[in-house]
Amino acid sequence: MSQTSNLQSINPVNPVSGLPEPSTGQIVRWLTTITRPVHFPLVISTLFRFVYLSLEMVLFGYAAWTIVRAVQGQPLGGALWILVGMALTKALAYYFEQFSGHYVAFKALELLRGHAFSQLWPKAPAIITRSTSGDLLASLTRDVDRIEVVYAHTFAPVVSAVVVPSAFLIGVGFGVDPLIVVVPALCYLISMTFVPFFGVRAAFDATKKTLELRGQLTAYTTDSVFGVEEVVGYGNEDKRLEGTALLSDQVNQASRSPAFYRGFRRGLNIALMLISFTSILGIGLCRELDIALIAALAAGSLRFFEGPRGVEDTVGALDASIASARRLWHLTHAPQAVRSGDKSFPVDDAAGVDIEWDNVDYSYPGLASTGRKILNNIRIRAAAGKRTVFVGRSGSGKTTALQLLLRFDDPQSGQIRVNGQPIDELALDELRAAVMLVRQKNEILDASLADNLRLGAPGVSDAELWQALEVAEFADEVREMPEGLETMAGQDGSQLSGGQGQRLCLARALLTKPRVLLLDEFTANLNRELEEKIRANLARALPGVTIIEVTHRLEQATDADAVYIFDHGQIIASGGPEVLNEYSEYS
């Protein structure tokens, strides 16, 4: 076996980024570089934690000393006021530690998500073909949350767990009796050097597996929810539910090992705390120390292990944080699959835009090695200024052909050309400004109809909005709404019907004045009469614009200029509308 193969077997290549797994040191350096603005507030939070932990031990010890003195009949003097003062000071230190810690947490959350989006934005939408939508969702929400929480709550607990107990041991050893701190010091060393790392490797591996399974479960559930129409339409409800249950069981199985080690570490720390407490009582009595002093030291030792417990919690959560950070690292370091060309979009106002798919093959990333092709050697010509219709069953490759024109991804072989110019040589922004896609399911913001319409053309006037709505046969319905153009669409267009949402998005596309209009099942929620009116309006309003429509309903292609029939990624027939008569079974 070659040296390269050996290295890859030790450090395997990640399927998302195509890069080897980064070391933990690389991950930590990457995170600290992104979150540098929160380092100073993190130090402030740590200092307040020093004060809080120190006062907690002193407060417990002083309270025990006061109680014993009271039992002995000694005068308390101002002891109660001292206790009140220490308690208030501790509370303030805790408040400011939490306040600054949460500031660090939320600021780190902002920085991490901002960095992730800044890295993903240039790679969209091609990155989606290499990561499922559910996996992206998990990385940008739960993974970032896990990183942020542990990052913000790791430094302060670990540093304070080293500084405060060490200072306590040194102070008591020199100020009271070195012998009385020997057993607590040994228990402390065990608690700091052994307990937090017991089972860490196994927990790391199990957590990595758990997060991978959670990502699969999130992706599976997301795809089921957003594809519910297809799931129900094909009668796959039981199959999807069984898949969800299977993945849930696998997640539960994988998460048991980290939970066991967390519980075991907590039990060890409690045992060490009790050993320290007992040893202080025993040695203190043997050394004939003052009873009140023994009570104070023993009570203080009960809070002595608060710091090591913080380290234990940190290490317990660190496995999930590092695993999440690795997933996010690979996502943000994934190569940019589609790169912009440097040539302008070829504009010919007289001739229009002619589009050609020339022997195009395409497979989704990860499937290319299996030989399974989504598009297989397709040849299509959408003539300038004409209406071309792609017909075929769901999953036959029609939508993929449109997405490749917009360079959601690039084909493995063949070319797509616009007026004879290969699209991979064109500037992406110009290509996507000239070619507009209207889908069956479109993105609608929780904003007014006017704001949604202006997303692609912010400067258009109200008159232009109404003109676009007229073409989309939506103007009359908007006029009847009490708020008119200021009517709120609701989250994901929840205040609109399916047909209204489709027509709103069609009007939005028209406002961008496209050279090419792609319509992917854009009338799925409309009746036959209304969709015929819209097509007639488009023909009048967009003379010279190349229109390509995807449908599985043959009757929508009867007045097309050209028809292409898809089946399993291939063009099985093409020609004028008359070709539909021989292939009615492919609708």
Side-chain angles (χ1 to χ4, degrees):
M1 183 180 289
S2 67
Q3 184 178 6
T4 302
S5 299
N6 283 325
L7 288 173
Q8 287 183 346
S9 64
I10 297 171
N11 208 7
V13 171
N14 183 274
V16 174
S17 67
L19 299 172
E21 289 291 338
S23 67
T24 302
Q26 284 179 283
I27 292 293
V28 172
R29 287 192 295 273
W30 175 64
L31 289 177
T32 53
T33 300
I34 297 170
T35 55
R36 185 174 289 116
V38 301
H39 290 176
F40 179 72
L42 187 58
V43 171
I44 299 299
S45 176
T46 304
L47 293 177
F48 278 118
R49 189 172 178 88
F50 285 177
V51 176
Y52 162 71
L53 286 178
S54 300
L55 283 175
E56 189 163 54
M57 283 191 287
V58 173
L59 182 62
F60 265 66
Y62 190 76
W65 181 86
T66 302
I67 292 170
V68 173
R69 296 276 291 176
V71 170
Q72 291 174 337
Q74 300 291 329
L76 297 181
L80 291 177
W81 289 109
I82 293 173
L83 284 172
V84 170
M86 284 194 293
L88 289 175
T89 305
K90 182 178 85 76
L92 285 173
Y94 179 74
Y95 172 80
F96 285 115
E97 187 252 334
Q98 290 291 303
F99 182 86
S100 54
H102 280 84
Y103 170 80
V104 169
F106 288 118
K107 187 65 178 178
L109 182 68
E110 173 197 337
L111 294 169
L112 287 166
R113 285 210 174 128
H115 176 79
F117 277 108
S118 71
Q119 296 300 306
L120 291 177
W121 180 260
K123 303 169 187 175
I127 187 69
I128 298 175
T129 66
R130 288 157 173 78
S131 301
T132 64
S133 58
D135 202 29
L136 279 173
L137 181 64
S139 287
L140 294 175
T141 53
R142 293 185 179 180
D143 283 347
V144 172
D145 287 343
R146 291 188 188 101
I147 299 166
E148 161 264 314
V149 168
V150 176
Y151 178 83
H153 300 289
T154 295
F155 182 79
V158 170
V159 174
S160 60
V162 172
V163 173
V164 175
S166 298
F168 176 83
L169 290 169
I170 293 170
V172 173
F174 279 102
V176 180
D177 188 335
L179 191 59
I180 203 169
V181 300
V182 170
V183 174
L186 289 173
C187 290
Y188 169 71
L189 286 174
I190 294 171
S191 181
M192 290 292 291
T193 60
F194 171 73
V195 174
F197 307 104
F198 178 76
V200 164
R201 174 54 57 190
F204 267 42
D205 293 341
T207 301
K208 180 181 177 182
K209 180 65 175 176
T210 301
L211 290 177
E212 290 174 353
L213 290 169
R214 285 187 186 278
Q216 294 176 26
L217 179 59
T218 301
Y220 193 84
T221 304
T222 302
D223 292 342
S224 295
V225 171
F226 285 96
V228 65
E229 294 179 4
E230 289 81 359
V231 171
V232 174
Y234 287 100
N236 287 332
E237 301 98 318
D238 291 339
K239 184 178 179 180
R240 298 298 291 189
L241 289 172
E242 288 172 4
T244 303
L246 178 61
L247 284 171
S248 297
D249 289 341
Q250 291 175 347
V251 169
N252 290 333
Q253 288 289 337
S255 62
R256 288 179 181 176
S257 175
F260 166 77
Y261 287 115
R262 284 195 298 271
F264 193 82
R265 288 193 294 263
R266 177 54 53 91
L268 282 177
N269 265 332
I270 293 173
L272 291 169
M273 179 187 70
L274 294 176
I275 292 171
S276 295
F277 177 83
T278 305
S279 73
I280 290 173
L281 290 177
I283 295 173
L285 291 171
C286 290
R287 303 285 285 182
E288 297 181 349
L289 298 178
D290 180 69
I291 295 297
L293 179 59
I294 295 172
L297 294 175
S301 72
L302 293 175
R303 307 309 298 165
F304 177 81
F305 283 86
E306 187 67 20
R309 268 202 297 269
V311 176
E312 170 208 324
D313 291 337
T314 294
V315 174
L318 196 61
D319 50 2
S321 178
I322 294 297
S324 295
R326 288 184 191 279
R327 281 160 50 92
L328 191 66
W329 187 91
H330 282 295
L331 196 63
T332 57
H333 285 75
Q336 189 168 337
V338 173
R339 296 190 176 274
S340 178
D342 56 6
K343 295 183 179 179
S344 298
F345 188 85
V347 176
D348 188 334
D349 292 328
V353 177
D354 191 89
I355 302 169
E356 184 181 4
W357 286 257
D358 186 9
N359 295 323
V360 169
D361 283 355
Y362 179 73
S363 296
Y364 289 130
L367 293 180
S369 60
T370 67
R372 180 185 171 191
K373 295 182 178 180
I374 306 302
L375 295 175
N376 186 5
N377 197 36
I378 66 166
R379 296 174 60 89
I380 300 171
R381 179 171 178 261
K386 303 297 183 181
R387 177 170 170 258
T388 302
V389 178
F390 297 168
V391 178
R393 300 187 183 98
S394 295
S396 60
K398 310 182 301 296
T399 296
T400 301
L402 296 189
Q403 291 174 343
L404 291 181
L405 172 58
L406 282 164
R407 295 199 68 201
F408 281 27
D409 205 352
D410 287 332
Q412 278 78 37
S413 64
Q415 274 191 340
I416 303 175
R417 293 187 286 269
V418 173
N419 284 347
Q421 188 77 45
I423 61 172
D424 58 357
E425 297 178 4
L426 305 179
L428 270 176
D429 288 345
E430 291 194 25
L431 172 67
R432 291 172 180 170
V435 182
M436 194 57 54
L437 172 64
V438 181
R439 298 180 295 184
Q440 180 179 350
K441 297 178 181 178
N442 297 277
E443 299 300 325
I444 299 177
L445 301 184
D446 187 7
S448 68
L449 299 184
D451 287 341
N452 272 282
L453 288 167
R454 288 192 171 100
L455 278 179
V460 297
S461 65
D462 282 0
E464 290 174 292
L465 298 185
W466 286 113
Q467 184 179 4
L469 290 170
E470 291 285 359
V471 176
E473 291 291 334
F474 192 29
D476 290 342
E477 292 173 52
V478 175
R479 290 190 183 97
E480 292 174 359
M481 298 176 182
E483 301 297 325
L485 288 171
E486 296 306 313
T487 300
M488 297 299 292
Q491 186 173 358
D492 296 325
S494 58
Q495 299 303 308
L496 305 175
S497 68
Q500 289 175 331
Q502 287 180 324
R503 285 176 286 160
L504 175 71
C505 294
L506 174 60
R508 181 169 67 192
L510 297 177
L511 287 165
T512 65
K513 297 180 171 50
R515 300 278 180 170
V516 179
L517 184 62
L518 309 180
L519 305 173
D520 188 359
E521 302 282 4
F522 82 112
T523 61
N525 295 307
L526 304 180
N527 60 52
R528 179 77 176 270
E529 180 181 355
L530 187 55
E531 70 179 57
E532 287 179 354
K533 286 183 179 180
I534 294 173
R535 285 195 178 87
N537 292 346
L538 290 174
R540 287 194 303 270
L542 304 176
V545 171
T546 303
I547 297 176
I548 304 174
E549 183 174 347
V550 162
T551 183
H552 65 276
R553 292 155 61 181
L554 298 183
E555 65 271 15
Q556 295 178 347
T558 54
D559 56 350
D561 296 298
V563 176
Y564 289 84
I565 299 179
F566 283 68
D567 185 46
H568 292 91
Q570 295 181 308
I571 305 295
I572 60 170
S574 62
E578 66 278 358
V579 76
L580 299 171
N581 298 327
E582 301 177 24
Y583 293 92
S584 59
E585 70 273 18
Y586 289 95
S587 62

